[in-house]
Amino acid sequence: MDNTVSGTQEKKAPSGKKRSFSGNLKLLITVLTVTLAVFQLSTAFFGVLPAMQQRSLHLAFVLPLIFLLYPMWKTSPKSRPSLFDWVFAATAAVCTVYVYFMYEDIANRAGMYTQYELYLGVAMIFLVFEAARRVLGYPLPIFCALFILFAYYGRSMPGPFKHFGLSIPRIIEELYLTTDGLFGLVTGVSATYIFLFILFGAFLSSTGTSQFFNDLSMALTGHLKGGPAKIAVVSSALMGTISGSTSANVATTGAFTIPLMKKAGYTSNFAGAVVAASSTGGQIMPPVMGAAAFIMAQFLGISYWDIVVAAALPATLYFISIMAMVHFRAGKRGIQSLTEETAPKVGKVLKEGWHLLLPIITLVIFLAMGYSAVKAVFWSIVLMVGVSWMGKPEYRMTPKRLLDALIAGGMGAVEVAAACACSGLVIGVIGITGIGLAFSSFVINLSQGILPLA
């Protein structure tokens, strides 16, 4: 919680909570987030830049935003960035922009590096760790740091984990100046697919799709036994089709479904559990899923549509199981449905918001036709802006609402980008040490070729 103090003391923000700015600082954050969103949309339309350029420019916006928005410590000032924040933001911009402009020279040198590039690499690795710590806490940076230690102390590792060991300059060069580390595959997924789908969700929220899904779930299940809990399940499933984020799903649907369930007679713990479990399923609910789905598509070398098709059945079964659980609990506790006065009519809901389904249907059709996920989501966003003018005036994408959606998309992507960049260190170490192949061979030999045991 925020602590408000009097006198000349400043407001403090807990670690991991975004700052709220005004004046010139707010303008700076707005410019950075909107420019980031416009850059991502432009590359989706005109074509993605070369890998190092696309990923480095993506982080050139994301990392400074993190250092300005997220305080270093719980006692850090909330109303303004500290001197360290400004230094970190500027250094991150220098490290990433250098790679953007020098990527051809770096590629042509084929593993050769300069002394100052090592310094930039050390700074970049530290800044990625710090950005991830501010956004996600200590576990992920510590986990990634262990892999870097593993890369250095490889000669001392036991059994299948032993490798030739890497010098510090070699580790820095591989992680900073190649597409196998910080600017590797995972960051590439963040710089293309993930950002655009987060932006897609921001646009859907701005056009009133979240409220439409809430109303539709009430109309579909409100009249059933234990209706309030079933509303929570269906609304989370519907929100999962456009979000792919558990926390966003909880915040969107839980705000109205938890009070509704408590009012109907469910306990507070059960109401919270239903929303948490249902929102978690949103990560595997096609067509928009969590970041792992895009990473899987890249790693496996298959289209995102194949992941969507594969996820459809387990996602459906997941929500059916939760629906069965709340149905039995409702019968046990004697919880009834909503009254006719409180439950909206399906026909009325669809009549007022049917147009909001068009961007989602378009996204599915484009993916099924073989278009890339980047192109599919770009044209779905464009269509969404157009169809918003078919609905209620308060949800039409005016220039102000368009700007707000771009800001929301840019702000929503920084946390995922920090996690992806930090995880790229792990992927890079696995690649340069060869531990992935060695460990796979070890598992196969240990299992004697018996697949279930492996």
Side-chain angles (χ1 to χ4, degrees):
M1 296 177 64
D2 295 337
N3 298 317
T4 305
V5 291
S6 57
T8 58
Q9 292 178 296
E10 293 183 277
K11 293 181 179 180
K12 306 297 182 181
S15 179
K17 299 295 183 181
K18 290 180 183 175
R19 293 183 172 109
S20 180
F21 296 134
S22 60
N24 291 332
L25 285 173
K26 182 178 181 180
L27 177 61
L28 174 62
I29 297 300
T30 299
V31 170
L32 287 175
T33 51
V34 172
T35 306
L36 172 60
V38 171
F39 160 68
Q40 300 285 170
L41 287 170
S42 64
T43 56
F45 180 73
F46 293 106
V48 176
L49 299 176
M52 287 286 279
Q53 283 194 311
Q54 180 80 19
R55 299 165 190 181
S56 60
L57 196 56
H58 176 71
L59 292 182
F61 287 104
V62 168
L63 292 178
L65 278 170
I66 291 174
F67 293 125
L68 296 178
L69 287 171
Y70 290 84
M72 180 182 291
W73 311 111
K74 292 182 179 180
T75 55
S76 298
K78 179 182 177 182
S79 59
R80 60 173 177 80
S82 66
L83 177 60
F84 279 112
D85 295 330
W86 286 111
V87 171
F88 288 172
T91 306
V94 170
C95 293
T96 49
V97 170
Y98 174 82
V99 173
Y100 174 81
F101 285 108
M102 298 296 292
Y103 86 101
E104 284 189 353
D105 181 58
I106 293 171
N108 291 333
R109 283 191 263 123
M112 299 179 64
Y113 52 84
T114 62
Q115 191 66 31
Y116 65 82
E117 285 176 339
L118 293 181
Y119 297 143
L120 290 175
V122 171
M124 183 67 179
I125 293 171
F126 166 77
L127 291 171
V128 168
F129 277 137
E130 172 62 11
R133 183 195 67 82
R134 293 191 184 195
V135 174
L136 304 166
Y138 286 96
L140 181 60
I142 291 175
F143 178 73
C144 295
L146 291 176
F147 270 81
I148 294 181
L149 293 175
F150 167 75
Y152 181 74
Y153 290 105
R155 293 185 181 92
S156 304
M157 299 301 293
F161 298 102
K162 185 175 183 178
H163 63 92
F164 47 84
L166 299 171
S167 65
I168 292 178
R170 174 72 191 284
I171 294 172
I172 296 170
E173 183 262 334
E174 289 286 348
L175 296 181
Y176 177 59
L177 297 177
T178 71
T179 54
D180 294 325
L182 292 170
F183 305 112
L185 177 64
V186 184
T187 302
V189 173
S190 171
T192 50
Y193 305 110
I194 295 177
F195 184 93
L196 288 172
F197 274 89
I198 290 176
L199 189 63
F200 180 66
F203 270 79
L204 284 169
S205 179
S206 184
T207 54
T209 306
S210 301
Q211 184 60 48
F212 167 70
F213 281 163
N214 289 340
D215 293 341
L216 182 59
S217 61
M218 290 182 68
L220 291 173
T221 59
H223 63 283
L224 302 176
K225 179 187 294 186
K230 293 177 180 177
I231 291 170
V233 177
V234 174
S235 61
S236 293
L238 291 174
M239 279 301 301
T241 64
I242 64 172
S243 172
S245 169
T246 298
S247 56
N249 204 324
V250 169
T252 305
T253 63
F256 88 97
T257 56
I258 290 178
L260 197 64
M261 284 188 281
K262 290 168 65 177
K263 185 178 179 181
Y266 291 103
T267 64
S268 299
N269 290 341
F270 185 81
V274 170
V275 172
S278 302
S279 298
T280 300
Q283 286 193 320
I284 59 170
M285 190 65 180
V288 181
M289 294 177 283
F294 303 101
I295 297 173
M296 286 169 61
Q298 289 292 96
F299 268 122
L300 298 176
I302 61 178
S303 70
Y304 181 70
W305 173 250
D306 292 333
I307 302 293
V308 168
V309 172
L313 179 59
T316 302
L317 294 175
Y318 181 89
F319 282 101
I320 289 175
S321 66
I322 297 180
M323 185 73 79
M325 180 268 297
V326 298
H327 177 79
F328 295 138
R329 175 60 68 95
K332 182 178 180 180
R333 298 184 64 90
I335 298 174
Q336 300 302 315
S337 62
L338 297 180
T339 62
E340 293 186 3
E341 292 76 16
T342 55
K345 302 296 183 183
V346 176
K348 181 181 179 182
V349 173
L350 289 175
K351 181 179 179 180
E352 294 178 351
W354 64 270
H355 59 282
L356 297 174
L357 296 173
L358 295 178
I360 303 172
I361 295 172
T362 300
L363 175 63
V364 174
I365 292 174
F366 270 73
L367 290 173
M369 291 175 63
Y371 285 83
S372 70
V374 172
K375 288 292 184 183
V377 73
F378 173 81
W379 289 114
S380 297
I381 291 174
V382 172
L383 177 63
M384 195 187 316
V385 175
V387 301
S388 69
W389 291 86
M390 300 170 61
K392 299 177 180 179
E394 62 266 29
Y395 291 127
R396 292 172 181 171
M397 293 301 290
T398 61
K400 182 181 183 307
R401 292 189 69 84
L402 183 63
L403 182 65
D404 290 341
L406 292 174
I407 294 172
M411 297 278 276
V414 295
E415 296 184 10
V416 178
C420 288
C422 199
S423 300
L425 296 171
V426 176
I427 304 300
V429 169
I430 290 175
I432 61 179
T433 59
I435 188 61
L437 182 59
F439 187 74
S440 298
S441 300
F442 172 73
V443 171
I444 292 173
N445 292 333
L446 194 65
S447 65
Q448 297 294 311
I450 303 174
L451 186 58
L453 182 59

